Amino acid sequence: MTLTAAAVLGGLRQRAWSVLTVSAFLVLSAAGAAGPIFAEASDNAAFQVRLGEVAETTRQNDAAVVRISANVGPAAFDQQSVVDDLRSVPGLTDFDLTGASVGAELARPDFWGFTVNGRERGRLFAVGSPAAELTAVGAPAGQDGLWLPRPMAADLGVQPGDQIVLALVRGTRGKPQRVTTTVNGVYAVDATGRLPGGRKWALRRGDTPEDTEYRTLPAYLLVGEVPTVERLAKATKDQMFWSVEASLAPGATFAETKTTANRLEQVRRKYATASPADGDDPLALRFASGIGRIVATAQATTEAVRQRTRPVEWAAIGVGFASVLAVALLSARRRDREVRHAVAVGLTPLRVGGLWLLEHLLPAAIGAVLGWLATWQLMALLGPPGTISESLAPAALTGAAAVGAGVVSVAAVGSVAAFLRVRASPPATARRPLPWPAIIVVAALVAAASLVSAGGRASTVDLLVPLLVLAAAGVLAGWLPGLLAGGARLPSSPRRAAVWLARRRLGSGGAERRLAVTVVTAGLGMLLFGLSAVESTTTTADDRIAVAAGAERVAVLDDGSAQLDDAAVSVPPNDPTLGAPPDAPVPGVRTPPLPDGNTLVWRSDVLTPLDDFRKDLLVIDPARFLDVALWGNGPDLAAARSAVRALAADPGTASETNGSGSVRAIVVGDPASALVDTIRVSIGASTEDLTVAARVPAFPGMQGRPMYVVAATPMFAKLGPEDPRLRPRTELPAGVQLFRTSLWSSTGALDVPAASSVTSATLLRQDATYVATDRARGYQVAVAGYLALLAVLTLCVYAQRSTALRRPTDLMLARVGLGPARVRRARALEFALLAAVSAAAAVAGVAALAPLGGRLLDDQPGLLPRFAFQLSPLGLAVTVAAAAVAALLAVALTTVRAATAEEDAYRDD
């Protein structure tokens, strides 16, 4: 019992080694807990984005609402069963009961007429509180009456407080059913002049009754409270069809909304199967809700995010487990004398493993809690901007499970270490060390070669290639410290003794030193690779959005640029007696003046004799285009921007008065013209020569095929009467027009009524792939932090281990004249050089991975611009800082241990 009690507290009594053990379990716990927390934050972030997209929609099937109209009874009281069913669905706001007149639909094809004062047609509509849902015109009066739309009230000449007569006639010979009521208020109508204004009424548009004469129009609604409308309907023998509606509760999370959508589907199936009706039946079930669609869209986005982050998640757990296992293995070597004593006194390997398990329980528990807290805060600060609440408990469980597996592995290492001391000694034979350095280098070369030769997207296994390459770089770097070792002669001056001792010890580390350099290099390298991958992926995504969208907003003008210019010149007449108009600039033609942040772009199909493929001719105003187009942050679009600047300075010699000059062009992604300086293009019936001004691989607005970009002034000067800025004398179909005109805007706001289509960069950014890139960024940064911690931890473990082995030598050197200060300086220099060598090897390894970056990280390899993996300046700075921190901590830990009494040097550590 005494031994067991000592083992429970023993894990926290090992000073610096206890800190390293807790740190290893912290890394493992953080890696295990990160997955659930990131998943919830990502889900909620995608869900909130989708909610923002549908915030202004006017379609019930897209909005975060639910509306059920079921034929459960003619009276409002009968709807209580529907209300109860919806009330059992979590995540919804309080319910509104509405009713719409359905008498006309039930009476068809017979005549049905409902009038107010015998003059104006209207239909009854019931809501819970008209005063709260309608915009009053003037002061309302009374409660027990109806609200009339302003156009009807104006035609009838009534105002709040007046009496009106409602009359309903069925059939051509029917007797009118009349009832008198009061005008409670007059409400404002929307732009259509019929329905009340506001989003709530816009969502009800599909459930409001139509006009009985003009069925393409919504009816004028006579709105009142539910009891009032029900009483008036009974008096006139009209029939109401009741609906129950509710909205998604504010602040609902993705998981809660998913539950809401599933329960709503159950309610829908209940009423759909209980009262089947023909689709043309006016009383057939109507169920409208966009909640399920919102959940499905958000789910698709989150699946794309998880697909990107799941390999990183498992890699992080593997790295964390490897750190715990490394600490356990080094601990076995560090405590070799203790294990021998335990075996000698009769402790079985199983008992030794159990004692090690008990010894690591408290460090593991502390590391698990700290790792869970660290992951929570890292995800809150660096992860997706979503709510984190429900995943904290599952994350604690997964983190604890990972830590539990780590504790079991430590116990297994202890048992194996004891078993190796118990078994009989084998015959004396020369032991050959396992050539693990050569194995790692060969595996890295084979993996890299296989990745280069393989096609298609990278698989999960391919993501191990960077780790193998960086480990191989660490293996090669592990031999460098030996080259720095000093010679056999002692230094001539005591001042040089610290440098001499540090260099000498760099060459005496053996396999442990090479292993430490390998692990530190891999950790720092993966940190740099992860940060560079995040920056490169983000830059590529921004550039591809810029190439696909062109500008923040693009509107296609079917009537050309003349629709924006009241002073546009018309196409010159074709007088048969004078011949065809000359191919010269038309006097007075101009580009319409536009507000800042807008520019016109013309596009046409062209052919060249270089090949048989159609290409795009993009005509721009270079000066304005520079300020309006999206340029991203990558090198390809930077080259395109420089080319547009050069084109603005020298567009060609053709001008408004000279149509015989030259036209300079930027060639975009056209390998067929790589060897020519002048390209002859066919534009409609014209053939023009374009002088190559620059060649670039990508350009804003590129639509998947080669393109030539020219300036508007020289290009249109050569087209004469075919200038697309001219106002056509006859309307031409869109397919017949030579140029397609579009208005590009950098402000994101366009008001062009005649635009046939409008696209925006915002919609492209909401694509699941780009959202996944953005959402995964925080997770990748967090994992990079874990890897940096692994590098720091490894160097500290090696420093502690080597210092413990060298303590007798250090004490002797200090006593024979070298001095304690020089011994400490030699130790600090040694660890600083190891950290520097590892950091340099990490940078070299990541640089070697640059050609494989696109193969590893590009999810859409067919898009332009091509993925360009570049070393991140911020990543380099962080990597150097991590190496410096590792060296400082290693020195600090060993300095604390060196301050102990001399007799500790002769005890087992």
Side-chain angles (χ1 to χ4, degrees):
M1 291 299 295
T2 302
L3 186 60
T4 301
V8 171
L9 298 176
L12 298 179
R13 293 176 176 174
Q14 303 178 47
R15 290 168 289 187
W17 190 266
S18 297
V19 175
L20 299 179
T21 304
V22 170
S23 300
F25 282 111
L26 186 152
V27 172
L28 181 56
S29 172
I37 295 178
F38 176 83
E40 184 192 12
S42 176
D43 290 348
N44 287 329
F47 174 63
Q48 291 301 323
V49 169
R50 181 57 182 161
L51 277 183
E53 293 174 2
V54 302
E56 300 300 325
T57 184
T58 57
R59 280 173 42 89
Q60 290 178 344
N61 286 330
D62 292 332
V65 300
V66 58
R67 184 177 176 86
I68 299 179
S69 304
N71 184 24
V72 294
F77 178 79
D78 299 328
Q79 308 307 309
Q80 189 60 42
S81 61
V82 183
V83 172
D84 292 340
D85 286 336
L86 282 183
R87 186 168 284 123
S88 66
V89 177
L92 296 177
T93 60
D94 201 7
F95 306 99
D96 293 331
L97 179 64
T98 64
S101 169
V102 75
E105 288 74 16
L106 293 174
R108 287 174 184 167
D110 294 339
F111 172 79
W112 189 95
F114 194 104
T115 58
V116 181
N117 288 352
R119 294 167 50 189
E120 293 292 330
R121 299 182 308 279
R123 305 286 295 273
L124 291 173
F125 198 91
V127 297
S129 177
E133 296 195 19
L134 301 173
T135 302
V137 178
Q143 295 292 329
D144 190 19
L146 296 176
W147 287 63
L148 305 185
R150 179 159 57 178
M152 176 184 283
D155 290 341
L156 294 175
V158 297
Q159 56 186 355
D162 292 346
Q163 297 288 313
I164 56 174
V165 177
L166 308 179
L168 173 59
V169 177
R170 287 176 175 268
T172 55
R173 298 182 181 180
K175 180 180 180 181
Q177 304 292 324
R178 293 185 176 89
V179 65
T180 301
T181 188
T182 305
V183 178
N184 274 357
V186 177
Y187 65 85
V189 295
D190 60 9
T192 64
R194 289 274 176 163
L195 295 178
R199 180 172 179 266
K200 199 168 189 177
W201 286 96
L203 290 173
R204 292 171 178 164
R205 182 182 297 272
D207 290 321
T208 55
E210 63 188 23
D211 188 89
T212 53
E213 182 175 350
Y214 304 106
R215 296 183 180 177
T216 58
L217 297 175
Y220 281 128
L221 300 182
L222 311 176
V223 183
E225 293 183 347
V226 171
T228 300
V229 171
E230 190 169 25
R231 175 179 58 81
L232 296 175
K234 289 181 179 179
T236 57
K237 296 186 178 180
D238 193 1
Q239 184 169 343
M240 305 298 295
F241 190 38
W242 301 98
S243 301
V244 180
E245 62 184 19
S247 301
L248 188 66
T253 64
F254 176 77
E256 293 170 346
T257 306
K258 192 173 182 179
T259 301
T260 301
N262 293 336
R263 294 291 298 276
L264 285 176
E265 181 62 20
Q266 295 175 5
V267 173
R268 185 194 68 81
R269 285 199 299 267
K270 171 185 175 180
Y271 286 98
T273 56
S275 55
D278 185 72
D280 295 331
D281 188 345
L283 300 180
L285 173 68
R286 302 177 194 173
F287 182 93
S289 177
I291 297 176
R293 185 172 298 178
I294 293 171
V295 169
T297 304
Q299 183 73 42
T301 301
T302 57
E303 283 299 324
V305 175
R306 294 294 290 150
Q307 184 178 5
R308 179 184 290 271
T309 59
R310 193 171 288 113
V312 182
E313 175 185 338
W314 285 105
I317 294 175
V319 167
F321 191 80
S323 66
V324 171
L325 190 59
V327 170
L329 293 173
L330 289 174
S331 182
R333 295 196 61 179
R334 170 176 170 267
R335 301 168 65 177
D336 181 69
R337 189 176 306 169
E338 174 191 324
V339 174
R340 290 179 181 272
H341 289 168
V343 172
V345 298
L347 291 179
T348 64
L350 187 61
R351 181 73 181 277
V352 172
L355 291 174
W356 278 40
L357 186 147
L358 292 175
E359 181 180 314
H360 287 82
L361 280 181
L362 285 180
I366 296 173
V369 173
L370 293 178
W372 176 76
L373 289 173
T375 299
W376 180 11
Q377 295 306 311
L378 280 174
M379 288 299 171
L381 294 175
L382 302 176
T387 304
I388 299 174
S389 59
E390 299 176 357
S391 63
L392 294 179
L397 292 176
T398 56
V403 169
V407 172
V408 172
S409 70
V410 172
V413 169
S415 296
V416 172
F419 175 75
L420 294 177
R421 300 296 179 267
V422 173
R423 68 176 183 172
S425 300
T429 56
R431 294 184 59 187
R432 294 183 179 180
L434 181 68
W436 59 268
I439 293 175
I440 292 178
V441 173
V442 171
L445 292 175
V446 172
S450 301
L451 187 64
V452 170
S453 61
R457 295 174 55 180
S459 64
T460 303
V461 178
D462 292 335
L463 296 177
L464 295 175
V465 173
L467 184 60
L468 282 173
V469 171
L470 291 169
V475 166
L476 299 177
W479 298 97
L480 293 179
L483 302 178
L484 301 175
R489 290 187 299 175
L490 294 174
S492 59
S493 171
R495 290 177 298 179
R496 300 179 182 177
V499 177
W500 171 81
L501 181 58
R503 294 177 60 191
R504 185 174 181 84
R505 285 182 168 177
L506 284 175
S508 62
E512 286 192 10
R513 186 207 64 213
R514 292 195 295 273
L515 178 61
V517 172
T518 299
V519 177
V520 174
T521 299
L524 294 177
M526 289 302 292
L527 169 65
L528 177 57
F529 180 79
L531 294 177
S532 299
V534 167
E535 185 170 327
S536 299
T537 304
T538 303
T539 299
T540 301
D542 291 342
D543 288 358
R544 287 176 175 177
I545 290 172
V547 169
E552 283 295 336
R553 207 163 176 87
V554 176
V556 178
L557 307 179
D558 284 344
D559 296 332
S561 62
Q563 74 180 67
L564 305 178
D565 189 5
D566 295 335
V569 178
S570 298
V571 175
N574 187 3
D575 190 345
T577 61
L578 300 177
D583 291 335
V586 177
V589 67
R590 67 170 188 173
T591 299
L594 297 171
D596 292 339
N598 295 274
T599 188
L600 286 168
V601 174
W602 295 266
R603 189 186 299 267
S604 182
D605 295 339
V606 297
L607 291 171
T608 72
L610 300 173
D611 55 27
D612 297 330
F613 299 104
R614 290 188 177 273
K615 297 158 188 179
D616 285 333
L617 178 69
L618 201 71
V619 185
I620 64 173
D621 180 351
R624 296 182 71 97
F625 190 85
L626 282 169
D627 298 329
V628 174
L630 292 173
W631 294 106
N633 299 294
D636 289 351
L637 290 184
R641 192 171 192 173
S642 299
V644 174
R645 288 197 186 99
L647 188 67
D650 184 12
T653 58
S655 63
E656 293 89 343
T657 59
N658 177 23
S660 60
S662 63
V663 180
R664 288 166 54 83
I666 302 171
V667 178
V668 184
D670 183 25
S673 61
L675 301 179
V676 298
D677 297 328
T678 301
I679 304 173
R680 177 159 295 178
V681 297
S682 299
I683 313 171
S686 302
T687 301
E688 307 295 342
D689 289 336
L690 306 179
T691 302
V692 176
R695 303 179 191 274
V696 296
F699 199 84
M702 193 174 182
Q703 295 181 348
R705 60 182 182 178
M707 185 167 65
Y708 307 131
V709 182
V710 298
T713 298
M715 187 72 244
F716 291 154
K718 302 181 75 65
L719 295 181
E722 292 184 340
D723 191 326
R725 297 172 296 178
L726 296 171
R727 188 185 303 278
R729 294 187 174 275
T730 58
E731 184 175 355
L732 297 176
V736 179
Q737 296 175 5
L738 182 60
F739 282 90
R740 301 178 296 279
T741 306
S742 58
L743 177 62
W744 290 27
S745 174
S746 62
T747 61
L750 289 175
D751 184 14
V752 186
S756 62
S757 64
V758 177
T759 59
S760 70
T762 302
L763 294 177
L764 285 175
R765 294 187 184 100
Q766 293 167 0
D767 182 82
T769 301
Y770 299 124
V771 172
T773 298
D774 182 65
R775 294 286 182 266
R777 189 181 311 161
Y779 194 88
Q780 291 169 336
V781 170
V783 171
Y786 302 158
L787 297 172
L789 184 58
L790 172 64
V792 173
L793 179 64
T794 300
L795 188 59
C796 290
V797 169
Y798 172 75
Q800 201 276 342
R801 165 71 176 163
S802 61
T803 301
L805 293 176
R806 295 168 179 169
R807 189 174 299 114
T809 304
D810 289 346
L811 290 173
M812 182 174 294
L813 289 173
R815 288 187 176 276
V816 300
L818 194 60
R822 291 192 181 94
V823 172
R824 287 194 296 268
R825 284 199 295 270
R827 187 185 303 124
L829 181 59
E830 176 191 359
F831 298 143
L833 288 175
L834 283 178
V837 168
S838 300
V843 174
V846 175
L849 283 170
L852 300 176
R855 177 72 178 82
L856 285 167
L857 303 171
D858 193 0
D859 288 338
Q860 298 173 300
L863 297 184
L864 290 175
R866 302 298 182 189
F867 189 97
F869 181 86
Q870 295 179 322
L871 291 179
S872 166
L874 176 62
L876 287 171
V878 172
T879 303
V880 172
V885 169
L888 290 175
L889 288 178
V891 172
L893 285 172
T894 54
T895 301
V896 172
R897 295 302 300 268
T900 58
E902 180 176 348
E903 56 268 18
D904 286 347
Y906 305 103
R907 296 179 180 176
D908 182 41
D909 197 32

